[in-house]
PDB file of all heavy atoms in Angstrom:
ATOM      1  N   ARG A  23     -17.822  19.486 -13.535  1.00 78.00           N
ATOM      2  CA  ARG A  23     -18.256  18.461 -12.471  1.00 78.00           C
ATOM      3  C   ARG A  23     -17.098  18.208 -11.559  1.00 78.00           C
ATOM      4  O   ARG A  23     -16.008  17.929 -11.973  1.00 78.00           O
ATOM      5  CB  ARG A  23     -18.851  17.308 -13.069  1.00 78.00           C
ATOM      6  CG  ARG A  23     -20.076  17.507 -13.973  1.00 78.00           C
ATOM      7  CD  ARG A  23     -20.384  16.247 -14.702  1.00 78.00           C
ATOM      8  NE  ARG A  23     -20.959  15.235 -13.627  1.00 78.00           N
ATOM      9  CZ  ARG A  23     -21.205  13.911 -13.926  1.00 78.00           C
ATOM     10  NH1 ARG A  23     -21.093  13.520 -15.161  1.00 78.00           N
ATOM     11  NH2 ARG A  23     -21.579  13.132 -13.024  1.00 78.00           N
ATOM     12  N   LEU A  24     -17.486  17.995 -10.243  1.00 80.00           N
ATOM     13  CA  LEU A  24     -16.356  17.759  -9.245  1.00 80.00           C
ATOM     14  C   LEU A  24     -16.763  16.588  -8.446  1.00 80.00           C
ATOM     15  O   LEU A  24     -17.876  16.486  -8.047  1.00 80.00           O
ATOM     16  CB  LEU A  24     -16.155  18.904  -8.390  1.00 80.00           C
ATOM     17  CG  LEU A  24     -15.245  18.681  -7.211  1.00 80.00           C
ATOM     18  CD1 LEU A  24     -13.939  18.326  -7.465  1.00 80.00           C
ATOM     19  CD2 LEU A  24     -15.387  19.963  -6.118  1.00 80.00           C
ATOM     20  N   PHE A  25     -15.829  15.560  -8.414  1.00 80.00           N
ATOM     21  CA  PHE A  25     -16.010  14.478  -7.522  1.00 80.00           C
ATOM     22  C   PHE A  25     -14.901  14.306  -6.527  1.00 80.00           C
ATOM     23  O   PHE A  25     -13.684  14.387  -6.968  1.00 80.00           O
ATOM     24  CB  PHE A  25     -16.085  13.220  -8.405  1.00 80.00           C
ATOM     25  CG  PHE A  25     -16.264  11.794  -7.663  1.00 80.00           C
ATOM     26  CD1 PHE A  25     -17.388  11.569  -6.810  1.00 80.00           C
ATOM     27  CD2 PHE A  25     -15.182  11.043  -7.637  1.00 80.00           C
ATOM     28  CE1 PHE A  25     -17.443  10.440  -6.077  1.00 80.00           C
ATOM     29  CE2 PHE A  25     -15.326   9.798  -6.924  1.00 80.00           C
ATOM     30  CZ  PHE A  25     -16.346   9.513  -6.181  1.00 80.00           C
ATOM     31  N   ARG A  26     -15.112  14.288  -5.205  1.00 84.00           N
ATOM     32  CA  ARG A  26     -14.099  14.289  -4.233  1.00 84.00           C
ATOM     33  C   ARG A  26     -14.142  13.029  -3.442  1.00 84.00           C
ATOM     34  O   ARG A  26     -15.222  12.473  -3.060  1.00 84.00           O
ATOM     35  CB  ARG A  26     -14.213  15.459  -3.208  1.00 84.00           C
ATOM     36  CG  ARG A  26     -14.041  16.819  -3.984  1.00 84.00           C
ATOM     37  CD  ARG A  26     -14.110  17.999  -2.929  1.00 84.00           C
ATOM     38  NE  ARG A  26     -15.330  18.018  -2.202  1.00 84.00           N
ATOM     39  CZ  ARG A  26     -15.451  18.614  -1.004  1.00 84.00           C
ATOM     40  NH1 ARG A  26     -14.420  19.147  -0.390  1.00 84.00           N
ATOM     41  NH2 ARG A  26     -16.662  18.570  -0.377  1.00 84.00           N
ATOM     42  N   THR A  27     -12.996  12.541  -3.079  1.00 88.00           N
ATOM     43  CA  THR A  27     -12.795  11.315  -2.255  1.00 88.00           C
ATOM     44  C   THR A  27     -11.796  11.656  -1.123  1.00 88.00           C
ATOM     45  O   THR A  27     -10.552  11.960  -1.487  1.00 88.00           O
ATOM     46  CB  THR A  27     -12.491  10.162  -3.049  1.00 88.00           C
ATOM     47  OG1 THR A  27     -11.271  10.371  -3.821  1.00 88.00           O
ATOM     48  CG2 THR A  27     -13.618   9.806  -3.959  1.00 88.00           C
ATOM     49  N   PRO A  28     -12.053  11.286   0.112  1.00 91.00           N
ATOM     50  CA  PRO A  28     -11.062  11.495   1.137  1.00 91.00           C
ATOM     51  C   PRO A  28     -10.243  10.148   1.381  1.00 91.00           C
ATOM     52  O   PRO A  28     -10.890   9.145   1.192  1.00 91.00           O
ATOM     53  CB  PRO A  28     -11.878  11.792   2.358  1.00 91.00           C
ATOM     54  CG  PRO A  28     -13.183  11.180   2.148  1.00 91.00           C
ATOM     55  CD  PRO A  28     -13.401  11.085   0.670  1.00 91.00           C
ATOM     56  N   HIS A  29      -9.012  10.311   1.794  1.00 93.00           N
ATOM     57  CA  HIS A  29      -8.263   9.009   1.963  1.00 93.00           C
ATOM     58  C   HIS A  29      -7.284   9.252   3.146  1.00 93.00           C
ATOM     59  O   HIS A  29      -6.910  10.418   3.533  1.00 93.00           O
ATOM     60  CB  HIS A  29      -7.380   8.817   0.806  1.00 93.00           C
ATOM     61  CG  HIS A  29      -8.120   8.760  -0.486  1.00 93.00           C
ATOM     62  ND1 HIS A  29      -8.693   7.529  -0.989  1.00 93.00           N
ATOM     63  CD2 HIS A  29      -8.425   9.583  -1.432  1.00 93.00           C
ATOM     64  CE1 HIS A  29      -9.250   7.720  -2.016  1.00 93.00           C
ATOM     65  NE2 HIS A  29      -9.256   8.994  -2.478  1.00 93.00           N
ATOM     66  N   ARG A  30      -6.880   8.215   3.866  1.00 95.00           N
ATOM     67  CA  ARG A  30      -5.690   8.250   4.647  1.00 95.00           C
ATOM     68  C   ARG A  30      -4.529   7.610   4.009  1.00 95.00           C
ATOM     69  O   ARG A  30      -4.628   6.349   3.695  1.00 95.00           O
ATOM     70  CB  ARG A  30      -5.989   7.475   6.000  1.00 95.00           C
ATOM     71  CG  ARG A  30      -4.897   7.597   6.983  1.00 95.00           C
ATOM     72  CD  ARG A  30      -5.097   6.821   8.302  1.00 95.00           C
ATOM     73  NE  ARG A  30      -3.938   7.169   9.160  1.00 95.00           N
ATOM     74  CZ  ARG A  30      -2.829   6.358   9.331  1.00 95.00           C
ATOM     75  NH1 ARG A  30      -2.728   5.322   8.420  1.00 95.00           N
ATOM     76  NH2 ARG A  30      -1.884   6.644  10.031  1.00 95.00           N
ATOM     77  N   TYR A  31      -3.575   8.278   3.758  1.00 95.00           N
ATOM     78  CA  TYR A  31      -2.391   7.712   2.945  1.00 95.00           C
ATOM     79  C   TYR A  31      -1.517   6.875   3.933  1.00 95.00           C
ATOM     80  O   TYR A  31      -1.423   7.127   5.092  1.00 95.00           O
ATOM     81  CB  TYR A  31      -1.604   8.658   2.150  1.00 95.00           C
ATOM     82  CG  TYR A  31      -0.986   9.761   3.006  1.00 95.00           C
ATOM     83  CD1 TYR A  31       0.357   9.613   3.518  1.00 95.00           C
ATOM     84  CD2 TYR A  31      -1.599  11.069   3.009  1.00 95.00           C
ATOM     85  CE1 TYR A  31       0.909  10.684   4.218  1.00 95.00           C
ATOM     86  CE2 TYR A  31      -0.913  12.157   3.682  1.00 95.00           C
ATOM     87  CZ  TYR A  31       0.259  11.932   4.239  1.00 95.00           C
ATOM     88  OH  TYR A  31       0.807  12.995   4.968  1.00 95.00           O
ATOM     89  N   VAL A  32      -0.928   5.834   3.367  1.00 96.00           N
ATOM     90  CA  VAL A  32      -0.224   4.837   4.218  1.00 96.00           C
ATOM     91  C   VAL A  32       1.208   4.548   3.503  1.00 96.00           C
ATOM     92  O   VAL A  32       1.184   4.219   2.345  1.00 96.00           O
ATOM     93  CB  VAL A  32      -0.883   3.507   4.294  1.00 96.00           C
ATOM     94  CG1 VAL A  32      -0.256   2.597   5.393  1.00 96.00           C
ATOM     95  CG2 VAL A  32      -2.375   3.735   4.695  1.00 96.00           C
ATOM     96  N   TRP A  33       2.247   4.723   4.219  1.00 95.00           N
ATOM     97  CA  TRP A  33       3.542   4.296   3.668  1.00 95.00           C
ATOM     98  C   TRP A  33       3.650   2.700   3.711  1.00 95.00           C
ATOM     99  O   TRP A  33       3.047   2.135   4.601  1.00 95.00           O
ATOM    100  CB  TRP A  33       4.673   4.946   4.503  1.00 95.00           C
ATOM    101  CG  TRP A  33       4.615   6.400   4.515  1.00 95.00           C
ATOM    102  CD1 TRP A  33       4.175   7.194   5.560  1.00 95.00           C
ATOM    103  CD2 TRP A  33       5.018   7.339   3.473  1.00 95.00           C
ATOM    104  NE1 TRP A  33       4.218   8.459   5.189  1.00 95.00           N
ATOM    105  CE2 TRP A  33       4.730   8.647   3.969  1.00 95.00           C
ATOM    106  CE3 TRP A  33       5.544   7.046   2.226  1.00 95.00           C
ATOM    107  CZ2 TRP A  33       5.082   9.696   3.204  1.00 95.00           C
ATOM    108  CZ3 TRP A  33       5.890   8.212   1.409  1.00 95.00           C
ATOM    109  CH2 TRP A  33       5.590   9.489   1.840  1.00 95.00           C
ATOM    110  N   PRO A  34       4.531   2.183   2.808  1.00 97.00           N
ATOM    111  CA  PRO A  34       4.534   0.774   2.716  1.00 97.00           C
ATOM    112  C   PRO A  34       5.104   0.132   4.111  1.00 97.00           C
ATOM    113  O   PRO A  34       4.599  -0.865   4.628  1.00 97.00           O
ATOM    114  CB  PRO A  34       5.644   0.517   1.728  1.00 97.00           C
ATOM    115  CG  PRO A  34       5.418   1.624   0.739  1.00 97.00           C
ATOM    116  CD  PRO A  34       5.069   2.780   1.580  1.00 97.00           C
ATOM    117  N   ALA A  35       5.967   0.866   4.799  1.00 97.00           N
ATOM    118  CA  ALA A  35       6.518   0.318   6.117  1.00 97.00           C
ATOM    119  C   ALA A  35       5.354   0.446   7.121  1.00 97.00           C
ATOM    120  O   ALA A  35       5.268  -0.606   8.020  1.00 97.00           O
ATOM    121  CB  ALA A  35       7.664   1.278   6.615  1.00 97.00           C
ATOM    122  N   GLU A  36       4.555   1.375   7.152  1.00 97.00           N
ATOM    123  CA  GLU A  36       3.484   1.325   8.073  1.00 97.00           C
ATOM    124  C   GLU A  36       2.479   0.217   7.781  1.00 97.00           C
ATOM    125  O   GLU A  36       1.993  -0.405   8.693  1.00 97.00           O
ATOM    126  CB  GLU A  36       2.679   2.623   8.071  1.00 97.00           C
ATOM    127  CG  GLU A  36       1.580   2.813   9.070  1.00 97.00           C
ATOM    128  CD  GLU A  36       0.734   4.107   8.952  1.00 97.00           C
ATOM    129  OE1 GLU A  36       1.023   4.779   8.000  1.00 97.00           O
ATOM    130  OE2 GLU A  36      -0.127   4.246   9.798  1.00 97.00           O
ATOM    131  N   LEU A  37       2.191   0.032   6.556  1.00 98.00           N
ATOM    132  CA  LEU A  37       1.301  -1.069   6.097  1.00 98.00           C
ATOM    133  C   LEU A  37       1.842  -2.436   6.583  1.00 98.00           C
ATOM    134  O   LEU A  37       1.055  -3.377   7.014  1.00 98.00           O
ATOM    135  CB  LEU A  37       1.227  -1.145   4.541  1.00 98.00           C
ATOM    136  CG  LEU A  37      -0.048  -1.759   3.984  1.00 98.00           C
ATOM    137  CD1 LEU A  37      -1.290  -0.918   4.291  1.00 98.00           C
ATOM    138  CD2 LEU A  37       0.071  -1.976   2.403  1.00 98.00           C
ATOM    139  N   ASP A  38       3.145  -2.602   6.467  1.00 98.00           N
ATOM    140  CA  ASP A  38       3.844  -3.895   6.876  1.00 98.00           C
ATOM    141  C   ASP A  38       3.588  -4.129   8.426  1.00 98.00           C
ATOM    142  O   ASP A  38       3.335  -5.185   8.872  1.00 98.00           O
ATOM    143  CB  ASP A  38       5.294  -3.850   6.566  1.00 98.00           C
ATOM    144  CG  ASP A  38       5.557  -3.956   5.124  1.00 98.00           C
ATOM    145  OD1 ASP A  38       4.695  -4.159   4.310  1.00 98.00           O
ATOM    146  OD2 ASP A  38       6.767  -3.656   4.700  1.00 98.00           O
ATOM    147  N   LEU A  39       3.638  -2.953   9.240  1.00 98.00           N
ATOM    148  CA  LEU A  39       3.449  -3.089  10.602  1.00 98.00           C
ATOM    149  C   LEU A  39       1.990  -3.483  10.889  1.00 98.00           C
ATOM    150  O   LEU A  39       1.676  -4.306  11.914  1.00 98.00           O
ATOM    151  CB  LEU A  39       3.807  -1.802  11.298  1.00 98.00           C
ATOM    152  CG  LEU A  39       3.684  -1.748  12.848  1.00 98.00           C
ATOM    153  CD1 LEU A  39       4.529  -2.949  13.468  1.00 98.00           C
ATOM    154  CD2 LEU A  39       4.199  -0.447  13.400  1.00 98.00           C
ATOM    155  N   MET A  40       1.004  -2.858  10.121  1.00 98.00           N
ATOM    156  CA  MET A  40      -0.330  -3.225  10.315  1.00 98.00           C
ATOM    157  C   MET A  40      -0.547  -4.699  10.070  1.00 98.00           C
ATOM    158  O   MET A  40      -1.243  -5.328  10.791  1.00 98.00           O
ATOM    159  CB  MET A  40      -1.266  -2.407   9.344  1.00 98.00           C
ATOM    160  CG  MET A  40      -1.375  -0.884   9.663  1.00 98.00           C
ATOM    161  SD  MET A  40      -2.342  -0.060   8.421  1.00 98.00           S
ATOM    162  CE  MET A  40      -2.243   1.563   8.974  1.00 98.00           C
ATOM    163  N   ALA A  41       0.191  -5.155   9.020  1.00 98.00           N
ATOM    164  CA  ALA A  41      -0.010  -6.529   8.686  1.00 98.00           C
ATOM    165  C   ALA A  41       0.505  -7.518   9.867  1.00 98.00           C
ATOM    166  O   ALA A  41      -0.089  -8.531  10.199  1.00 98.00           O
ATOM    167  CB  ALA A  41       0.889  -6.923   7.419  1.00 98.00           C
ATOM    168  N   ARG A  42       1.660  -7.135  10.442  1.00 98.00           N
ATOM    169  CA  ARG A  42       2.158  -7.869  11.670  1.00 98.00           C
ATOM    170  C   ARG A  42       1.151  -7.914  12.723  1.00 98.00           C
ATOM    171  O   ARG A  42       0.949  -8.893  13.526  1.00 98.00           O
ATOM    172  CB  ARG A  42       3.508  -7.284  12.118  1.00 98.00           C
ATOM    173  CG  ARG A  42       4.576  -7.452  11.087  1.00 98.00           C
ATOM    174  CD  ARG A  42       5.003  -8.835  10.703  1.00 98.00           C
ATOM    175  NE  ARG A  42       5.475  -9.545  11.925  1.00 98.00           N
ATOM    176  CZ  ARG A  42       6.686  -9.580  12.267  1.00 98.00           C
ATOM    177  NH1 ARG A  42       7.683  -9.035  11.515  1.00 98.00           N
ATOM    178  NH2 ARG A  42       7.038 -10.265  13.300  1.00 98.00           N
ATOM    179  N   LEU A  43       0.585  -6.775  12.987  1.00 97.00           N
ATOM    180  CA  LEU A  43      -0.488  -6.696  14.058  1.00 97.00           C
ATOM    181  C   LEU A  43      -1.675  -7.613  13.690  1.00 97.00           C
ATOM    182  O   LEU A  43      -2.365  -8.075  14.625  1.00 97.00           O
ATOM    183  CB  LEU A  43      -0.964  -5.241  14.304  1.00 97.00           C
ATOM    184  CG  LEU A  43       0.007  -4.295  14.817  1.00 97.00           C
ATOM    185  CD1 LEU A  43      -0.562  -2.885  14.785  1.00 97.00           C
ATOM    186  CD2 LEU A  43       0.447  -4.573  16.157  1.00 97.00           C
ATOM    187  N   GLY A  44      -1.889  -7.786  12.447  1.00 97.00           N
ATOM    188  CA  GLY A  44      -3.010  -8.815  12.051  1.00 97.00           C
ATOM    189  C   GLY A  44      -2.611 -10.192  11.960  1.00 97.00           C
ATOM    190  O   GLY A  44      -3.349 -11.105  11.676  1.00 97.00           O
ATOM    191  N   GLY A  45      -1.306 -10.453  12.199  1.00 97.00           N
ATOM    192  CA  GLY A  45      -0.739 -11.771  12.182  1.00 97.00           C
ATOM    193  C   GLY A  45      -0.113 -12.272  10.885  1.00 97.00           C
ATOM    194  O   GLY A  45       0.188 -13.495  10.667  1.00 97.00           O
ATOM    195  N   PHE A  46       0.079 -11.362   9.924  1.00 98.00           N
ATOM    196  CA  PHE A  46       0.590 -11.613   8.691  1.00 98.00           C
ATOM    197  C   PHE A  46       2.006 -11.308   8.580  1.00 98.00           C
ATOM    198  O   PHE A  46       2.639 -10.439   9.290  1.00 98.00           O
ATOM    199  CB  PHE A  46      -0.034 -10.733   7.556  1.00 98.00           C
ATOM    200  CG  PHE A  46      -1.503 -11.080   7.251  1.00 98.00           C
ATOM    201  CD1 PHE A  46      -2.501 -10.296   8.009  1.00 98.00           C
ATOM    202  CD2 PHE A  46      -1.918 -11.931   6.319  1.00 98.00           C
ATOM    203  CE1 PHE A  46      -3.839 -10.586   7.663  1.00 98.00           C
ATOM    204  CE2 PHE A  46      -3.148 -12.316   6.121  1.00 98.00           C
ATOM    205  CZ  PHE A  46      -4.163 -11.484   6.789  1.00 98.00           C
ATOM    206  N   ASP A  47       2.840 -11.941   7.691  1.00 97.00           N
ATOM    207  CA  ASP A  47       4.173 -11.660   7.170  1.00 97.00           C
ATOM    208  C   ASP A  47       4.118 -11.124   5.840  1.00 97.00           C
ATOM    209  O   ASP A  47       3.299 -11.610   4.994  1.00 97.00           O
ATOM    210  CB  ASP A  47       5.068 -12.884   7.245  1.00 97.00           C
ATOM    211  CG  ASP A  47       5.194 -13.328   8.726  1.00 97.00           C
ATOM    212  OD1 ASP A  47       5.493 -12.521   9.638  1.00 97.00           O
ATOM    213  OD2 ASP A  47       5.178 -14.565   8.969  1.00 97.00           O
ATOM    214  N   LEU A  48       5.003 -10.276   5.417  1.00 98.00           N
ATOM    215  CA  LEU A  48       5.109  -9.725   4.010  1.00 98.00           C
ATOM    216  C   LEU A  48       5.789 -10.942   3.217  1.00 98.00           C
ATOM    217  O   LEU A  48       6.863 -11.338   3.448  1.00 98.00           O
ATOM    218  CB  LEU A  48       5.949  -8.570   3.865  1.00 98.00           C
ATOM    219  CG  LEU A  48       6.113  -7.986   2.565  1.00 98.00           C
ATOM    220  CD1 LEU A  48       4.869  -7.547   1.921  1.00 98.00           C
ATOM    221  CD2 LEU A  48       7.162  -6.839   2.504  1.00 98.00           C
ATOM    222  N   GLU A  49       5.052 -11.363   2.168  1.00 98.00           N
ATOM    223  CA  GLU A  49       5.665 -12.495   1.271  1.00 98.00           C
ATOM    224  C   GLU A  49       6.321 -11.816   0.079  1.00 98.00           C
ATOM    225  O   GLU A  49       7.366 -12.355  -0.366  1.00 98.00           O
ATOM    226  CB  GLU A  49       4.425 -13.334   0.876  1.00 98.00           C
ATOM    227  CG  GLU A  49       4.912 -14.593   0.020  1.00 98.00           C
ATOM    228  CD  GLU A  49       3.893 -15.570  -0.245  1.00 98.00           C
ATOM    229  OE1 GLU A  49       2.956 -15.248  -1.085  1.00 98.00           O
ATOM    230  OE2 GLU A  49       3.910 -16.686   0.342  1.00 98.00           O
ATOM    231  N   SER A  50       5.704 -10.820  -0.504  1.00 98.00           N
ATOM    232  CA  SER A  50       6.286 -10.226  -1.684  1.00 98.00           C
ATOM    233  C   SER A  50       5.725  -8.731  -1.907  1.00 98.00           C
ATOM    234  O   SER A  50       4.622  -8.528  -1.477  1.00 98.00           O
ATOM    235  CB  SER A  50       5.993 -11.081  -2.983  1.00 98.00           C
ATOM    236  OG  SER A  50       4.617 -11.032  -3.339  1.00 98.00           O
ATOM    237  N   ARG A  51       6.563  -7.993  -2.622  1.00 98.00           N
ATOM    238  CA  ARG A  51       6.019  -6.649  -2.941  1.00 98.00           C
ATOM    239  C   ARG A  51       6.548  -6.292  -4.236  1.00 98.00           C
ATOM    240  O   ARG A  51       7.841  -6.418  -4.535  1.00 98.00           O
ATOM    241  CB  ARG A  51       6.483  -5.590  -1.915  1.00 98.00           C
ATOM    242  CG  ARG A  51       6.203  -4.119  -2.385  1.00 98.00           C
ATOM    243  CD  ARG A  51       6.379  -3.134  -1.176  1.00 98.00           C
ATOM    244  NE  ARG A  51       5.241  -3.339  -0.236  1.00 98.00           N
ATOM    245  CZ  ARG A  51       5.452  -3.324   1.069  1.00 98.00           C
ATOM    246  NH1 ARG A  51       6.806  -3.157   1.549  1.00 98.00           N
ATOM    247  NH2 ARG A  51       4.510  -3.476   1.985  1.00 98.00           N
ATOM    248  N   HIS A  52       5.732  -5.935  -5.229  1.00 98.00           N
ATOM    249  CA  HIS A  52       6.201  -5.523  -6.514  1.00 98.00           C
ATOM    250  C   HIS A  52       5.524  -4.164  -6.898  1.00 98.00           C
ATOM    251  O   HIS A  52       4.585  -3.697  -6.236  1.00 98.00           O
ATOM    252  CB  HIS A  52       5.822  -6.582  -7.524  1.00 98.00           C
ATOM    253  CG  HIS A  52       6.493  -7.928  -7.435  1.00 98.00           C
ATOM    254  ND1 HIS A  52       5.943  -9.003  -6.739  1.00 98.00           N
ATOM    255  CD2 HIS A  52       7.701  -8.310  -7.790  1.00 98.00           C
ATOM    256  CE1 HIS A  52       6.800  -9.993  -6.628  1.00 98.00           C
ATOM    257  NE2 HIS A  52       7.875  -9.566  -7.345  1.00 98.00           N
ATOM    258  N   ALA A  53       6.085  -3.587  -7.948  1.00 98.00           N
ATOM    259  CA  ALA A  53       5.570  -2.249  -8.309  1.00 98.00           C
ATOM    260  C   ALA A  53       4.260  -2.400  -9.206  1.00 98.00           C
ATOM    261  O   ALA A  53       3.593  -1.332  -9.284  1.00 98.00           O
ATOM    262  CB  ALA A  53       6.657  -1.554  -9.204  1.00 98.00           C
ATOM    263  N   ASP A  54       3.963  -3.425  -9.608  1.00 97.00           N
ATOM    264  CA  ASP A  54       2.710  -3.619 -10.379  1.00 97.00           C
ATOM    265  C   ASP A  54       2.377  -5.111 -10.429  1.00 97.00           C
ATOM    266  O   ASP A  54       2.982  -6.010  -9.836  1.00 97.00           O
ATOM    267  CB  ASP A  54       2.790  -3.023 -11.885  1.00 97.00           C
ATOM    268  CG  ASP A  54       3.982  -3.719 -12.656  1.00 97.00           C
ATOM    269  OD1 ASP A  54       4.373  -4.883 -12.261  1.00 97.00           O
ATOM    270  OD2 ASP A  54       4.561  -3.019 -13.508  1.00 97.00           O
ATOM    271  N   TRP A  55       1.209  -5.326 -11.130  1.00 97.00           N
ATOM    272  CA  TRP A  55       0.642  -6.721 -11.235  1.00 97.00           C
ATOM    273  C   TRP A  55       1.575  -7.562 -12.086  1.00 97.00           C
ATOM    274  O   TRP A  55       1.376  -8.797 -12.077  1.00 97.00           O
ATOM    275  CB  TRP A  55      -0.761  -6.641 -11.761  1.00 97.00           C
ATOM    276  CG  TRP A  55      -1.664  -6.123 -10.761  1.00 97.00           C
ATOM    277  CD1 TRP A  55      -2.200  -4.792 -10.825  1.00 97.00           C
ATOM    278  CD2 TRP A  55      -2.188  -6.638  -9.588  1.00 97.00           C
ATOM    279  NE1 TRP A  55      -3.080  -4.595  -9.730  1.00 97.00           N
ATOM    280  CE2 TRP A  55      -3.178  -5.771  -9.044  1.00 97.00           C
ATOM    281  CE3 TRP A  55      -2.002  -7.958  -8.990  1.00 97.00           C
ATOM    282  CZ2 TRP A  55      -3.752  -6.061  -7.764  1.00 97.00           C
ATOM    283  CZ3 TRP A  55      -2.786  -8.162  -7.812  1.00 97.00           C
ATOM    284  CH2 TRP A  55      -3.598  -7.305  -7.242  1.00 97.00           C
ATOM    285  N   HIS A  56       2.460  -7.018 -13.043  1.00 96.00           N
ATOM    286  CA  HIS A  56       3.237  -7.824 -13.746  1.00 96.00           C
ATOM    287  C   HIS A  56       4.489  -8.337 -13.024  1.00 96.00           C
ATOM    288  O   HIS A  56       5.128  -9.275 -13.514  1.00 96.00           O
ATOM    289  CB  HIS A  56       3.826  -7.016 -14.915  1.00 96.00           C
ATOM    290  CG  HIS A  56       2.765  -6.530 -16.031  1.00 96.00           C
ATOM    291  ND1 HIS A  56       2.349  -7.412 -16.925  1.00 96.00           N
ATOM    292  CD2 HIS A  56       2.152  -5.318 -16.078  1.00 96.00           C
ATOM    293  CE1 HIS A  56       1.418  -6.749 -17.713  1.00 96.00           C
ATOM    294  NE2 HIS A  56       1.313  -5.545 -17.211  1.00 96.00           N
ATOM    295  N   GLY A  57       4.783  -7.845 -11.796  1.00 96.00           N
ATOM    296  CA  GLY A  57       5.786  -8.351 -10.986  1.00 96.00           C
ATOM    297  C   GLY A  57       7.070  -7.475 -11.167  1.00 96.00           C
ATOM    298  O   GLY A  57       8.158  -7.965 -10.909  1.00 96.00           O
ATOM    299  N   ALA A  58       6.986  -6.316 -11.641  1.00 97.00           N
ATOM    300  CA  ALA A  58       8.139  -5.390 -11.818  1.00 97.00           C
ATOM    301  C   ALA A  58       8.666  -5.039 -10.467  1.00 97.00           C
ATOM    302  O   ALA A  58       8.020  -5.101  -9.409  1.00 97.00           O
ATOM    303  CB  ALA A  58       7.716  -3.950 -12.466  1.00 97.00           C
ATOM    304  N   GLU A  59      10.028  -4.852 -10.424  1.00 98.00           N
ATOM    305  CA  GLU A  59      10.612  -4.596  -9.090  1.00 98.00           C
ATOM    306  C   GLU A  59      10.115  -3.327  -8.432  1.00 98.00           C
ATOM    307  O   GLU A  59       9.946  -2.243  -9.023  1.00 98.00           O
ATOM    308  CB  GLU A  59      12.231  -4.468  -9.323  1.00 98.00           C
ATOM    309  CG  GLU A  59      12.988  -4.098  -8.167  1.00 98.00           C
ATOM    310  CD  GLU A  59      14.446  -3.936  -8.391  1.00 98.00           C
ATOM    311  OE1 GLU A  59      14.861  -3.853  -9.555  1.00 98.00           O
ATOM    312  OE2 GLU A  59      15.242  -3.684  -7.399  1.00 98.00           O
ATOM    313  N   PHE A  60       9.917  -3.368  -7.170  1.00 98.00           N
ATOM    314  CA  PHE A  60       9.479  -2.182  -6.379  1.00 98.00           C
ATOM    315  C   PHE A  60      10.810  -1.471  -5.943  1.00 98.00           C
ATOM    316  O   PHE A  60      11.643  -1.993  -5.332  1.00 98.00           O
ATOM    317  CB  PHE A  60       8.775  -2.727  -5.142  1.00 98.00           C
ATOM    318  CG  PHE A  60       8.282  -1.381  -4.250  1.00 98.00           C
ATOM    319  CD1 PHE A  60       7.209  -0.652  -4.728  1.00 98.00           C
ATOM    320  CD2 PHE A  60       8.952  -1.028  -3.122  1.00 98.00           C
ATOM    321  CE1 PHE A  60       6.744   0.411  -3.886  1.00 98.00           C
ATOM    322  CE2 PHE A  60       8.529  -0.115  -2.272  1.00 98.00           C
ATOM    323  CZ  PHE A  60       7.430   0.656  -2.765  1.00 98.00           C
ATOM    324  N   THR A  61      10.818  -0.113  -6.334  1.00 97.00           N
ATOM    325  CA  THR A  61      12.025   0.735  -6.089  1.00 97.00           C
ATOM    326  C   THR A  61      11.556   1.922  -5.428  1.00 97.00           C
ATOM    327  O   THR A  61      10.334   2.296  -5.202  1.00 97.00           O
ATOM    328  CB  THR A  61      12.728   1.041  -7.334  1.00 97.00           C
ATOM    329  OG1 THR A  61      11.920   2.031  -8.089  1.00 97.00           O
ATOM    330  CG2 THR A  61      12.945  -0.122  -8.230  1.00 97.00           C
ATOM    331  N   ALA A  62      12.549   2.913  -5.082  1.00 95.00           N
ATOM    332  CA  ALA A  62      12.261   4.130  -4.463  1.00 95.00           C
ATOM    333  C   ALA A  62      11.454   5.006  -5.403  1.00 95.00           C
ATOM    334  O   ALA A  62      10.856   6.006  -4.955  1.00 95.00           O
ATOM    335  CB  ALA A  62      13.575   4.899  -4.038  1.00 95.00           C
TER     336      ALA A  62
END
């Protein structure tokens, strides 16, 4: 069985710019819901 989903991938920096266009500021970014540090 095959299930396919199309996506447009977004880099974090591009997402931040979209947020600014919507009137938002980045408050925090973590690697998971536990609050782990976001790294490369």
Side-chain angles (χ1 to χ4, degrees):
R23 298 179 62 190
L24 170 63
F25 175 65
R26 295 187 300 161
T27 54
H29 306 273
R30 181 183 187 271
Y31 61 84
V32 191
W33 300 101
E36 182 185 7
L37 202 71
D38 293 349
L39 182 56
M40 292 179 182
R42 295 297 298 270
L43 292 172
F46 292 94
D47 295 317
L48 177 65
E49 184 174 69
S50 67
R51 171 169 291 135
H52 295 97
D54 57 28
W55 292 103
H56 293 282
E59 180 185 3
F60 181 76
T61 72

